[in-house]
PDB file of all heavy atoms in Angstrom:
ATOM      1  N   THR J 803      85.145-185.270 -49.141  1.00 96.00           N
ATOM      2  CA  THR J 803      85.631-186.591 -49.498  1.00 96.00           C
ATOM      3  C   THR J 803      86.021-187.350 -48.235  1.00 96.00           C
ATOM      4  O   THR J 803      86.207-186.761 -47.155  1.00 96.00           O
ATOM      5  CB  THR J 803      86.866-186.499 -50.404  1.00 96.00           C
ATOM      6  OG1 THR J 803      87.940-185.873 -49.664  1.00 96.00           O
ATOM      7  CG2 THR J 803      86.572-185.691 -51.655  1.00 96.00           C
ATOM      8  N   GLU J 804      86.167-188.646 -48.387  1.00 96.00           N
ATOM      9  CA  GLU J 804      86.614-189.476 -47.262  1.00 96.00           C
ATOM     10  C   GLU J 804      88.028-189.106 -46.837  1.00 96.00           C
ATOM     11  O   GLU J 804      88.382-189.231 -45.666  1.00 96.00           O
ATOM     12  CB  GLU J 804      86.534-190.953 -47.636  1.00 96.00           C
ATOM     13  CG  GLU J 804      85.109-191.470 -47.841  1.00 96.00           C
ATOM     14  CD  GLU J 804      84.283-191.447 -46.568  1.00 96.00           C
ATOM     15  OE1 GLU J 804      84.868-191.373 -45.472  1.00 96.00           O
ATOM     16  OE2 GLU J 804      83.036-191.486 -46.674  1.00 96.00           O
ATOM     17  N   GLU J 805      88.855-188.656 -47.793  1.00 97.00           N
ATOM     18  CA  GLU J 805      90.205-188.254 -47.437  1.00 97.00           C
ATOM     19  C   GLU J 805      90.178-187.014 -46.543  1.00 97.00           C
ATOM     20  O   GLU J 805      90.955-186.915 -45.571  1.00 97.00           O
ATOM     21  CB  GLU J 805      91.025-187.978 -48.694  1.00 97.00           C
ATOM     22  CG  GLU J 805      92.424-187.430 -48.458  1.00 97.00           C
ATOM     23  CD  GLU J 805      93.336-188.366 -47.656  1.00 97.00           C
ATOM     24  OE1 GLU J 805      92.984-189.552 -47.472  1.00 97.00           O
ATOM     25  OE2 GLU J 805      94.401-187.908 -47.207  1.00 97.00           O
ATOM     26  N   THR J 806      89.308-186.059 -46.860  1.00 98.00           N
ATOM     27  CA  THR J 806      89.163-184.900 -45.976  1.00 98.00           C
ATOM     28  C   THR J 806      88.721-185.345 -44.594  1.00 98.00           C
ATOM     29  O   THR J 806      89.246-184.856 -43.570  1.00 98.00           O
ATOM     30  CB  THR J 806      88.143-183.903 -46.551  1.00 98.00           C
ATOM     31  OG1 THR J 806      88.531-183.522 -47.857  1.00 98.00           O
ATOM     32  CG2 THR J 806      88.045-182.663 -45.676  1.00 98.00           C
ATOM     33  N   ALA J 807      87.787-186.286 -44.528  1.00 98.00           N
ATOM     34  CA  ALA J 807      87.314-186.786 -43.237  1.00 98.00           C
ATOM     35  C   ALA J 807      88.434-187.486 -42.477  1.00 98.00           C
ATOM     36  O   ALA J 807      88.539-187.353 -41.251  1.00 98.00           O
ATOM     37  CB  ALA J 807      86.138-187.734 -43.451  1.00 98.00           C
ATOM     38  N   ARG J 808      89.291-188.209 -43.201  1.00 98.00           N
ATOM     39  CA  ARG J 808      90.406-188.898 -42.534  1.00 98.00           C
ATOM     40  C   ARG J 808      91.384-187.893 -41.931  1.00 98.00           C
ATOM     41  O   ARG J 808      91.805-188.029 -40.778  1.00 98.00           O
ATOM     42  CB  ARG J 808      91.133-189.795 -43.534  1.00 98.00           C
ATOM     43  CG  ARG J 808      92.232-190.661 -42.913  1.00 98.00           C
ATOM     44  CD  ARG J 808      93.072-191.348 -43.967  1.00 98.00           C
ATOM     45  NE  ARG J 808      93.878-190.408 -44.725  1.00 98.00           N
ATOM     46  CZ  ARG J 808      95.036-189.892 -44.276  1.00 98.00           C
ATOM     47  NH1 ARG J 808      95.497-190.227 -43.064  1.00 98.00           N
ATOM     48  NH2 ARG J 808      95.719-189.042 -45.009  1.00 98.00           N
ATOM     49  N   LEU J 809      91.742-186.881 -42.710  1.00 98.00           N
ATOM     50  CA  LEU J 809      92.656-185.857 -42.209  1.00 98.00           C
ATOM     51  C   LEU J 809      92.048-185.099 -41.036  1.00 98.00           C
ATOM     52  O   LEU J 809      92.735-184.752 -40.066  1.00 98.00           O
ATOM     53  CB  LEU J 809      93.012-184.889 -43.333  1.00 98.00           C
ATOM     54  CG  LEU J 809      93.874-185.446 -44.468  1.00 98.00           C
ATOM     55  CD1 LEU J 809      93.938-184.447 -45.617  1.00 98.00           C
ATOM     56  CD2 LEU J 809      95.277-185.761 -43.953  1.00 98.00           C
ATOM     57  N   SER J 810      90.753-184.841 -41.117  1.00 98.00           N
ATOM     58  CA  SER J 810      90.071-184.132 -40.044  1.00 98.00           C
ATOM     59  C   SER J 810      90.105-184.932 -38.754  1.00 98.00           C
ATOM     60  O   SER J 810      90.437-184.406 -37.678  1.00 98.00           O
ATOM     61  CB  SER J 810      88.628-183.836 -40.454  1.00 98.00           C
ATOM     62  OG  SER J 810      87.945-183.155 -39.435  1.00 98.00           O
ATOM     63  N   ALA J 811      89.768-186.212 -38.842  1.00 98.00           N
ATOM     64  CA  ALA J 811      89.774-187.067 -37.646  1.00 98.00           C
ATOM     65  C   ALA J 811      91.166-187.147 -37.031  1.00 98.00           C
ATOM     66  O   ALA J 811      91.327-187.119 -35.800  1.00 98.00           O
ATOM     67  CB  ALA J 811      89.268-188.458 -38.003  1.00 98.00           C
ATOM     68  N   LYS J 812      92.170-187.241 -37.880  1.00 98.00           N
ATOM     69  CA  LYS J 812      93.550-187.314 -37.396  1.00 98.00           C
ATOM     70  C   LYS J 812      93.934-186.036 -36.653  1.00 98.00           C
ATOM     71  O   LYS J 812      94.595-186.074 -35.606  1.00 98.00           O
ATOM     72  CB  LYS J 812      94.494-187.552 -38.579  1.00 98.00           C
ATOM     73  CG  LYS J 812      95.963-187.657 -38.197  1.00 98.00           C
ATOM     74  CD  LYS J 812      96.823-187.900 -39.441  1.00 98.00           C
ATOM     75  CE  LYS J 812      98.302-187.947 -39.073  1.00 98.00           C
ATOM     76  NZ  LYS J 812      99.147-188.160 -40.293  1.00 98.00           N
ATOM     77  N   THR J 813      93.497-184.896 -37.176  1.00 98.00           N
ATOM     78  CA  THR J 813      93.831-183.620 -36.541  1.00 98.00           C
ATOM     79  C   THR J 813      93.096-183.447 -35.218  1.00 98.00           C
ATOM     80  O   THR J 813      93.676-182.990 -34.219  1.00 98.00           O
ATOM     81  CB  THR J 813      93.494-182.461 -37.489  1.00 98.00           C
ATOM     82  OG1 THR J 813      94.133-182.673 -38.746  1.00 98.00           O
ATOM     83  CG2 THR J 813      93.957-181.132 -36.905  1.00 98.00           C
ATOM     84  N   ILE J 814      91.829-183.824 -35.201  1.00 98.00           N
ATOM     85  CA  ILE J 814      91.049-183.700 -33.965  1.00 98.00           C
ATOM     86  C   ILE J 814      91.668-184.529 -32.845  1.00 98.00           C
ATOM     87  O   ILE J 814      91.586-184.153 -31.666  1.00 98.00           O
ATOM     88  CB  ILE J 814      89.588-184.130 -34.228  1.00 98.00           C
ATOM     89  CG1 ILE J 814      88.875-183.082 -35.091  1.00 98.00           C
ATOM     90  CG2 ILE J 814      88.823-184.333 -32.925  1.00 98.00           C
ATOM     91  CD1 ILE J 814      87.524-183.502 -35.582  1.00 98.00           C
ATOM     92  N   ALA J 815      92.325-185.624 -33.194  1.00 97.00           N
ATOM     93  CA  ALA J 815      92.938-186.501 -32.181  1.00 97.00           C
ATOM     94  C   ALA J 815      94.220-185.925 -31.603  1.00 97.00           C
ATOM     95  O   ALA J 815      94.746-186.467 -30.613  1.00 97.00           O
ATOM     96  CB  ALA J 815      93.201-187.873 -32.793  1.00 97.00           C
TER      97      ALA J 815
END
Side-chain angles (χ1 to χ4, degrees):
T803 64
E804 293 295 342
E805 175 61 13
T806 304
R808 185 190 68 80
L809 291 170
S810 180
K812 180 180 178 181
T813 306
I814 289 171

